[in-house]
Amino acid sequence: MSSQFSVDTRPIPPARLGRRGWLLAAGLLAAASATAQVHLPRLVSNGMVLQREQPVRIWGWAAKGEKVSIAFRGKTYQATTGPDGQWRVTLPAMKAGGPYQLDIKASNALSVKDILVGDVWLLSGQSNMETPMSRLRDKYPDVIAQAANPRIRQFEVPMSYAFQKPRTDVTGGKWIAADPQTVLQFSGVGYFFAKEINAKYQVPVGLIKDAVGGSPAEAWLSAEALRQFPAYEQQGAKYKDSLLVANTRQRESAAVADWYKQLYQTDQGEARGQQKWSAPGYDASAWATMNVPGYWASQTPLGPVNGVVWFRKEIEVPAGMVGQPARLELGTLVDADSTYINGQLVGTTGYQYPPRKYEVKPGVLKAGKNVITVRLINNGGRGGFTLDKNYQLTAGGQTLDLRGPWQYKLGATMPPTPGTTTFQYQPGGLYNGMIAPVLPYAIKGVLWYQGESNTGRAQDYQALMTSLIQDWRKQFQQPALPFLYVQLANFMATKSEPGESGWAAVRDAQRRTLAVPHTGMAVITDAGEWNDIHPLDKQTPGHRLALAAQKVAYGDAKVVSSGPLYQGMQVTGNRATLSFNSIGSGLVAKGGGPLQGFAVAGPDKKFVWAQARIEGKKVVVWSDKVPVPAVVRYAWADNPEGANLYNQEGLPASPFSTEPDPTTGATGRL
């Protein structure tokens, strides 16, 4: 690491130095000396978990050629910094244990305390891996209350991207041990996984949370791996121009700021010189009504308008709800809201995905008539209140249902918000900013939950993920690094007829990626929510990843780690007989009824729903409408509701198509 100061070290005649000169010179020399002192990457810090049973690298920086001494568990290791100012030592493989202390001496001395040795897992992907336990507190209150386990720890890597070159350190973060308060910061999927692994193997578990909401797979590839994908490589290459990035950010930010400025200037509900529409005494008797939840494009004459629509509901609050804390739940809103009760702002959220769960202070509610007002900004598409969510006000053990008619009025009409460049989603950026700095840290394996942002380009996904896995294994210098991932959950409205689906295509690409050695997949098409891209059930994916880890990472050959996986098809007459692996104790139709979710097509690729029956270890599929089956699909939909092929261990079959891969020609079997 080079000094930011340039210091002239020639002696200065005392006569030429006044008091201020001496202080300045001393300060510059002290600064130069400080930058030469040994320092550590943020991951190598108090509370860290080191990987057991494999060599562990410890590294840092100091002056060029400086000798560094590292003492750990009664042994001393020596290193000398290279021309780049970096030093590195390798500790021998250790058994699980701790806490330990690591002492480093050079021109200065450092100590890293409370170190455990156990298993370290890198958590990556997009928002469903990122989703913290704080979002899940209503679903898992007992789990959170019982989370006091100092042997489960997490380090959260802050979001950071870079295009010119890989970074050498993360931009922040610290190791935290799980307790009922800190666990709220943990990845939900990661915590449930760690909880099971810690309980089964009785070793400390360290989680490095390294995920970014909305990120596509290509953002996590190194420059070397991107060479296999010229279109993505070219897309990312232009952002190496830092001036272009700065100018683009400035221009786009100004356009968005101008949009919001115009919005506020034209919003009648905020107009100067008149009573605000959020005021409790405002007369809204002339407003129209629509049912909540719902979308104004389909329920009102407004149509698909963007801008601001105000909503208002008068409610009668009983005396028993007054004078104590309350909670207002408004599902999820599209897109951004400011919500008032009796004219007091009780919550605001800037985008559509977070559930609106606003805590209302005592004194806001009053006995009798109360007014809830929502100022709802819609940036694009259809705006409104998401269906099948909670819309209620709770206090004092009583709940008021807020569904039903609300008054509404258009405040301002605007074009959709100007588009912006999400730089962290560009190819290579997150690898350079967030993965490269972690590479020296020894890990047990990778947990990956991603794919939602690639459903529009599903044809690339298997190649991207195969390359990503190989790339990371090479960069971590662990050729057999276990790579376990979550298949996409069920999402969006169900459809009555078979059809094409980008979500199903990504799921099938994920299934086919199991052909890469030392991989495992958690199928969760039974754990999603049709109206939420962030399902609250994070225990199911955590548990199924733990099953995959037992087999792939811990070598338990007996564990049934997966539901049925399509293996091959034989056609006789109008019947297709499908074989599977990972059937465990046998195939079952969950719930005991007939098998559902199968579709079949002839050479014309026109799919129809099929009948299906389990025959021993196989499934026979047919339709009287298809005399010669060419392709069978299972659970091929955004939301394959009703698909019920499982094994007796209770694990669902992966969605699949028997047709060859459209880009590689590879068959659908594994």
Side-chain angles (χ1 to χ4, degrees), residues 324-411:
Q324 51 194 310
R327 173 184 275 193
L328 176 65
E329 295 187 46
L330 294 176
T332 56
L333 306 180
V334 187
D335 289 288
D337 71 290
S338 296
T339 297
Y340 304 82
I341 295 180
N342 298 329
Q344 295 190 46
L345 181 69
V346 296
T348 183
T349 304
Y351 63 112
Q352 63 175 289
Y353 293 118
R356 272 54 166 188
K357 297 180 179 181
Y358 296 142
E359 304 300 328
V360 182
K361 296 179 180 179
V364 175
L365 296 179
K366 59 184 181 179
K369 189 184 90 167
N370 290 251
V371 179
I372 301 174
T373 308
V374 178
R375 180 179 185 264
L376 188 51
I377 299 174
N378 177 238
N379 300 106
R382 63 177 188 170
F385 299 70
T386 304
L387 300 172
D388 289 353
K389 294 283 188 180
N390 286 336
Y391 293 88
Q392 60 191 30
L393 179 67
T394 305
Q398 300 183 60
T399 299
L400 299 180
D401 188 350
L402 301 179
R403 294 173 299 173
W406 284 56
Q407 295 173 290
Y408 75 90
K409 186 174 179 63
L410 180 66

Side-chain angles (χ1 to χ4, degrees), residues 259-335:
W259 189 90
Y260 278 100
K261 180 180 178 181
Q262 291 184 46
L263 180 79
Y264 279 93
Q265 288 175 343
T266 57
D267 183 3
Q268 298 175 52
E270 296 275 344
R272 293 181 179 180
Q274 69 170 35
Q275 191 177 30
K276 302 279 198 247
W277 291 0
S278 58
Y282 177 80
D283 180 9
S285 57
W287 288 20
T289 62
M290 69 167 262
N291 281 324
V292 168
Y295 301 93
W296 62 72
S298 55
Q299 283 202 41
T300 77
L302 294 177
V305 67
N306 304 131
V308 175
V309 180
W310 289 76
F311 291 86
R312 196 172 187 275
K313 188 175 184 67
E314 294 186 1
I315 57 173
E316 286 292 322
V317 174
M321 295 179 68
V322 176
Q324 51 194 310
R327 173 184 275 193
L328 176 65
E329 295 187 46
L330 294 176
T332 56
L333 306 180
V334 187
D335 289 288

